Amino acid sequence: MASEDISQLADSLAKTQVGGGELSFKGRALKLDTAEAATEIIEEIEKFDNLQALCLEGNTIGVEAAKAIAKSLADKKELQKCLWSDMFTGRLRTEIPTALISLGNAVMSAGAQLTQLDLSDNAFGPDGVRSIETLLKSNACYTLQELRLNNCGMGIGGGQILAAALGECRRQSSAFGKPMALKVFIAGRNRLENEGAIALAGAFKSIGTLEEVHMTQNGINHQGITALAKAFTENPNLRVINLNDNTFTEEGAIAMAETLKTLQNIEVLNFGDCLVRSKGAVAIAEAVKHGLKKLKELNLSFGEIRKNAAITVAEAMEDKSLLEKLDLNGNCLGEEGCDQLREVMDSFKKQDLLTSLSDDESDGDGDGDEDDEDEEEEDDDDDDDDDDDDEDEEDEEGEEEEEEAREEEKEQVKV
């Protein structure tokens, strides 16, 4: 073996054991199809005393390799963190559940008490969620603090299975005298939609210990957002709410604003690309203004917010001494509105905290929220016009019926 190859191998092995009880094979790009192919990992696990964290991220593990690795975990009672994101690249979806079941059974058999489970970036769909259902309900997860399932393609069904499993874990752990105290929940890019979000909201209500919730890009509309908002009121320790790239509209934004009035530990709010619109933005601004003393970041970018509403948001930042970033880019302010927004932030000596407004989407000067009101009035007028049309049609039909009745009477008279 060339000296260069030996050097690379030594460097790779040096990166394997991270320390602090963590054994990591992160980013090794290992393709493990068989038990034999997994020999290196198995040996490292077996000789690692007091294994607390196992990172398999950035490799691809087949069914037989997973079964062999699972056997090596059978006596690792100290295991707390399963860092298993992105470890099924190129695998058939039918392979993944079997592999996860093997690994989950090993964790349970070992009597491990997990604090973190990360299965992000594994496209396993609802079947994958079902394969970890038993693990999530087991006493191995009574101590779970972080659950990361970003970009797993769970869909509505997977979200509902997950919600039921978390709710059951909370119930069983409470009965055992050690209620699960989940702090971090991450499930972005999973196509959860309203039904999945509503199911998870039910679980969040019962958990009550959440500090961070990240559910970006899930196709959630105002019904799901409203359900989540109500659930968040039962989690007073929330610090981070990231619902970027869902669809609040005014109704969802107003519901979320009501919830924010009850939460005093919020540090980060990311409602960017959520179509909160002007009325929703004003409602959120009012909630922020009269509370949220710990706020560090507020993202209301790309929300179809007009000038006056954006200025109201900026004015709500006046006494936020911990503020680090305000993002209102991509709204409908116009050049004049952008200048006024900067002036407001500058008056608080916080202009540097305002992000770029280079993607402002206003065609004109974005002069206030009158356009929103006009749009609503037009909608109302359209509804009225529809009602008038219906009435006209009914009148015409009535006249036709009366005319037919008169003709019939004439015919009878003639007879």
Side-chain angles (χ1 to χ4, degrees):
M1 181 179 290
S3 59
E4 183 178 348
D5 294 334
I6 295 173
S7 176
Q8 289 178 348
L9 178 60
D11 183 53
S12 178
L13 290 174
K15 292 178 181 178
T16 297
Q17 186 167 325
V18 177
E22 178 177 343
L23 178 61
S24 177
F25 298 89
K26 181 177 180 179
R28 294 276 300 278
L30 301 172
K31 185 177 181 183
L32 309 177
D33 295 323
T34 64
E36 183 179 1
T39 299
E40 177 191 345
I41 289 179
I42 293 167
E43 291 177 350
E44 291 289 341
I45 291 173
E46 289 177 342
K47 70 182 183 183
F48 197 113
D49 293 330
N50 193 32
L51 179 63
Q52 297 176 29
L54 176 63
C55 181
L56 298 173
E57 177 184 353
N59 299 287
T60 177
I61 299 174
V63 173
E64 296 306 316
K67 288 179 179 179
I69 292 171
K71 289 180 181 178
S72 69
L73 293 173
D75 63 348
K76 300 300 179 181
K77 186 176 182 179
E78 299 84 5
L79 185 64
Q80 297 176 15
K81 299 179 180 181
C82 296
L83 310 177
W84 298 343
S85 64
D86 188 23
M87 66 173 193
F88 294 116
T89 301
R91 299 293 170 183
L92 297 174
R93 183 170 287 188
T94 53
E95 293 181 85
I96 300 173
T98 304
L100 286 175
I101 289 171
S102 296
L103 292 168
N105 287 342
V107 171
M108 292 185 287
S109 298
Q113 297 287 288
L114 298 184
T115 59
Q116 183 175 339
L117 176 61
D118 186 355
L119 290 168
S120 297
D121 300 316
N122 291 309
F124 48 52
D127 290 340
V129 183
R130 193 173 286 110
S131 70
I132 61 171
E133 184 179 8
T134 301
L135 173 63
L136 289 173
K137 291 178 179 179
S138 74
N139 58 11
C141 287
Y142 287 0
T143 50
L144 194 63
Q145 296 180 17
E146 296 186 22
L147 179 59
R148 300 171 181 264
L149 296 169
N150 202 58
N151 191 31
C152 292
M154 289 191 287
I156 293 171
Q160 292 171 332
I161 295 168
L162 176 62
L166 291 175
E168 185 62 22
C169 183
R170 174 69 180 185
R171 285 190 290 274
Q172 292 184 10
S173 60
S174 297
F176 190 69
K178 295 181 178 180
M180 179 183 65
L182 190 67
K183 295 180 180 179
V184 177
F185 179 84
I186 301 176
R189 301 183 66 188
N190 272 293
R191 304 191 306 275
L192 294 171
E193 301 184 16
N194 286 333
E195 294 92 333
I198 291 169
L200 285 165
F204 294 165
K205 278 185 179 180
S206 66
I207 292 171
T209 55
L210 290 169
E211 296 181 9
E212 293 187 29
V213 174
H214 303 258
M215 296 175 66
T216 63
Q217 200 176 346
N218 269 299
I220 306 170
N221 297 328
H222 70 83
Q223 296 95 332
I225 296 298
T226 299
L228 289 171
K230 291 178 179 178
F232 291 162
T233 62
E234 304 297 325
N235 291 267
N237 295 324
L238 269 170
R239 295 183 297 102
V240 178
I241 302 176
N242 182 1
L243 296 174
N244 187 283
D245 199 6
N246 289 289
T247 308
F248 282 46
T249 65
E250 293 93 332
E251 189 170 347
I254 290 170
M256 188 62 68
E258 287 300 308
T259 287
L260 294 178
K261 294 176 182 178
T262 71
L263 301 175
Q264 298 305 314
N265 292 304
I266 292 292
E267 297 177 6
V268 177
L269 292 174
N270 188 341
F271 301 150
D273 203 13
C274 284
L275 203 65
V276 299
R277 295 188 173 135
S278 294
K279 285 187 177 179
V282 169
I284 291 170
E286 288 299 313
V288 171
K289 182 176 182 179
H290 299 295
L292 307 192
K293 300 296 184 183
K294 299 179 181 179
L295 186 67
K296 295 180 179 179
E297 296 183 17
L298 175 60
N299 184 344
L300 293 176
S301 60
F302 298 93
E304 292 190 1
I305 301 168
R306 297 190 178 276
K307 180 183 70 175
N308 290 347
I311 289 173
T312 299
V313 172
E315 290 172 344
M317 303 298 111
E318 181 176 6
D319 66 345
K320 306 306 167 193
S321 60
L322 300 178
L323 188 70
E324 298 175 359
K325 183 171 75 172
L326 173 63
D327 191 346
L328 287 165
N329 194 24
N331 286 297
C332 309
L333 312 183
E335 184 177 348
E336 179 184 343
C338 289
D339 289 340
Q340 291 181 8
L341 191 62
R342 295 187 188 99
E343 289 173 6
V344 170
M345 292 298 287
D346 189 45
S347 70
F348 306 148
K349 300 188 184 305
K350 295 179 180 179
Q351 184 175 343
D352 292 343
L353 307 183
L354 180 67
T355 64
S356 170
L357 299 173
S358 60
D359 294 319
D360 186 72
E361 297 186 345
S362 177
D363 292 330
D365 291 330
D367 53 348
D369 301 324
E370 291 83 358
D371 291 345
D372 288 344
E373 295 174 1
D374 291 343
E375 288 173 6
E376 291 178 6
E377 289 174 1
E378 287 174 8
D379 291 340
D380 292 340
D381 290 342
D382 290 341
D383 292 339
D384 292 341
D385 291 342
D386 291 340
D387 293 340
D388 291 341
D389 291 342
D390 292 340
E391 290 175 3
D392 291 341
E393 289 176 4
E394 290 174 0
D395 290 342
E396 290 174 2
E397 289 175 0
E399 291 173 1
E400 290 175 0
E401 290 174 357
E402 290 177 2
E403 183 64 28
E404 289 175 1
R406 282 196 294 271
E407 291 296 327
E408 290 179 1
E409 288 178 1
K410 290 180 181 179
E411 291 296 327
Q412 291 174 357
V413 170
K414 288 180 182 179
V415 173

